[in-house]
Structure formats: structure tokens, C-alpha cells
Amino acid sequence: FSSRRRHTRLQGDWSSDVCSSDLLITLLLLPLLGALINGTVGKNLPKVVSGVIGTSAVALSFGIVVILFNQNINPIKVHLFNLIEFDSFKINVSFLLDHLSIWMALIITGIGTLIHVFSMGYMAHDEGYYKFFTYLNLFIFAMLLLVLGSNYFVLFFGWEGVGICSFLLIGFHYSDPIKGIANSLASRKAFVMNRIGDAGLIFALFMLLNTFKTLEFDGILNVINSQSFTLDNFLLIGITLCLFLAATGKSAQIPLFTWLPDAMAGPTPVSALIHAATMVTAGIYLVVRSNFLFELAPFTKEIVLYIGVATSVVAAFMALRQNDIKKVLAYSTVSQLGLMVVALGLGAYTVAIFHVTTHAFFKALLFLGSGSVIHGMSDEQDIRKMEIGRAHV
């Protein structure tokens, strides 16, 4: 890639920018490399080696993100190549390093590393150990694509990637003689409901391309700054509503929220990684990244606010009536996501990202803690049967 790479910077030292771009490419390739190794030869490796490879790939990525975070760099765009180029528009494969993308990458790789470590012990008895780490590494790679892309096209590839990995991880135990069918149905439900939201993202991309002739975040912002768009322009309302439909699917808002509790059929580390810390916050990230569009559509922001309030209240009451320890946490997650969406509807984007950060840590810990409790109770998940005297410690 080095011969075709171009760097766009606002200000700062050029050598520092080149170093940062090299680190960015390495950051993206490490989880992909871990997935390729485990996916091709992992079956023939000892479980410990397979787990160490998968965990080390994400841990090294986290170390790179920490270096980038400490550099306090100005926004840098790393251009790899042009995918499609016409007279009227072109679509690039490029990545953006700014405060938002680095912060999200810190959450993804940091919590991802801890969950990989937990998984090494939690999944030690499982026959598909190497496959599990292959899917986890692929998920981390797709999530990094989503948050580091400098345009909606790269974001869309990451968006679809996390959807596929989610499907594979939720239905991981599809061959289980007791719960195999339920696991398969849960993964299929998550996949289909996310496709509804993805349709909204595709429509939004076509409308953005038709209106602004680019899918680059900074290109769209430049067009908005150079032209006078009226508030609640019909086209902007359509674009933002489609973007919010996509966020509704990924971030489990009314009416596309029922897939998240059913997704608890997956192994507990999957619940912690995908459905608490990273994937479900992709919709929040999408709206925050598109804030310059939502600010021009107050009508859409009102809808976002009302949907967030409704989701938060309804999911909280539903959590009160659950008996499965993981489903209690699942509905709690939906409620907390509703609070983040409320912040988005009020235009408090910084507050939304702050709660994304806090929620990622405390809900991941709750899920991993519930996994330990389930193991201690001999795979019992019904909280009504979890009496202290009956625990097998």
C-alpha cells in the first residue's frame, strides 16, 4: 500500500503523519492477520496457542491505539486507493484519524482485549475454540473499519462486517442438541432485523451521493458550509431519517430492538463484546459522525429524542419482569442505549459518547460477571433458582 498511499493533513509535522498512517494500517491488519491464522491453521494448533494468537492480535492493536492517542495528533486522512472514479464522483478507500475515531478504537480494542483474555478460559472446553477466536478477531477488524473509515462507503463495509460476525457468534452453538435450534433462530432474527436497518443506510448513501457528489465526511461538510441549506429541507430529513433507521437496527431502538435480548443465546463473551461494548454502539457512532447533517434537520432530531425516551422507559420495565440473568442485562442494555439516543436527540453528542464509554465498561463487566455466576451454578441462568446454598463453588 505504501506506493499508493496519500496523506491529507491540516497541520503538523509531516514525518509524524507518515508514522501515524503506518500505525493505522498495522492497527487494522493485526486482527485480520489473527483471524487468518486461526481460520486456516488454528484447528491443528493447541487451544492455548490459538487463544494467545487471537488475544495478542487485539492486544497489540490496543497498544497502537494508545500510542496514537498519546501523540495528540491533528486529524489525518490516509488514502489507500480509488475504488470507483467517474467524472461526477469518486469513491475512495481511505481512513480518518481524529479524536472521535481514536476514542472509539480505544474502547473497541481495549475492552476487546480483556474479553479475549476472559474467553481463553471460558471457552476452553469448547470444540470450536479456534473458530470462536477467528470470529472474534474478524469482528474487531470489521468494527475498526467502521469507526476508522473516512467516508460512508468504508463505514458501510465495517457495518456489514459486524453484522455477519454477529450472526456467526450468536449462533455459534448451532449444533447443540438442546439449544441448537433456538441459537440458530436467534442469530437469524438478529441478521434479518439488522438488514432492515442496513436498507436505510444504503438508501442514505445513494441520497448523499446524489446530493453532495461524495461520501467523504469532510467533503459533505465542505459542501454544507459552502452552500445555504434551509433547516428541515425535505431531502436532508430523508437522509437523516434513513441514517437513523440504520442506527435503530444496530443500536436496538423501538421497533427494531427485540433481536438484542434473543441474541443472549450466544456465549457470554459474545454478549459482553458485541451486545454491550461495541456493535450496539455503532448506531450511536453513526449519528455522532453525521452530526452536521442532523443539525440541519431538527424534525429528525425530535423523532430521535422521542424514540430514545420510549425505548429507555419500555425496555427498563421489561427488564423488571425477566428471570434469565442475561436477559435482564440485555433489556438493561436496550434501556441504556435509549438514554444515549435521547442525548443525540438533544444534540448533546459529547454526552452520548461519554455514556457509550461508561456503558461499555460497566455492562461488559456485568456480562462477564454473569458468565462466572452461570458457570458457578452449573450453567443455570434462571435467577429464581440461584440460591446461595445451592451454588457449586
Side-chain angles (χ1 to χ4, degrees), residues 71-109:
Q71 284 182 354
N72 194 25
I73 57 175
N74 295 301
I76 298 171
K77 183 187 288 188
V78 180
H79 177 87
L80 293 188
F81 55 88
N82 293 335
L83 189 68
I84 301 173
E85 189 166 3
F86 295 105
D87 293 335
S88 56
F89 71 89
K90 61 181 178 180
I91 296 177
N92 304 320
V93 175
S94 54
F95 301 96
L96 177 66
L97 277 177
D98 65 357
H99 294 105
L100 177 59
S101 61
I102 290 176
W103 187 256
M104 290 297 294
L106 270 175
I107 297 172
I108 294 163
T109 55

Side-chain angles (χ1 to χ4, degrees), residues 44-62:
N44 302 319
L45 296 174
K47 286 185 175 180
V48 175
V49 175
S50 183
V52 168
I53 290 172
T55 305
S56 299
V58 183
L60 290 172
S61 294
F62 175 66

Side-chain angles (χ1 to χ4, degrees), residues 275-291:
H275 307 115
T278 53
M279 174 180 161
V280 292
T281 61
I284 309 299
Y285 169 80
L286 176 64
V287 176
V288 173
R289 181 59 82 182
S290 309
N291 67 85

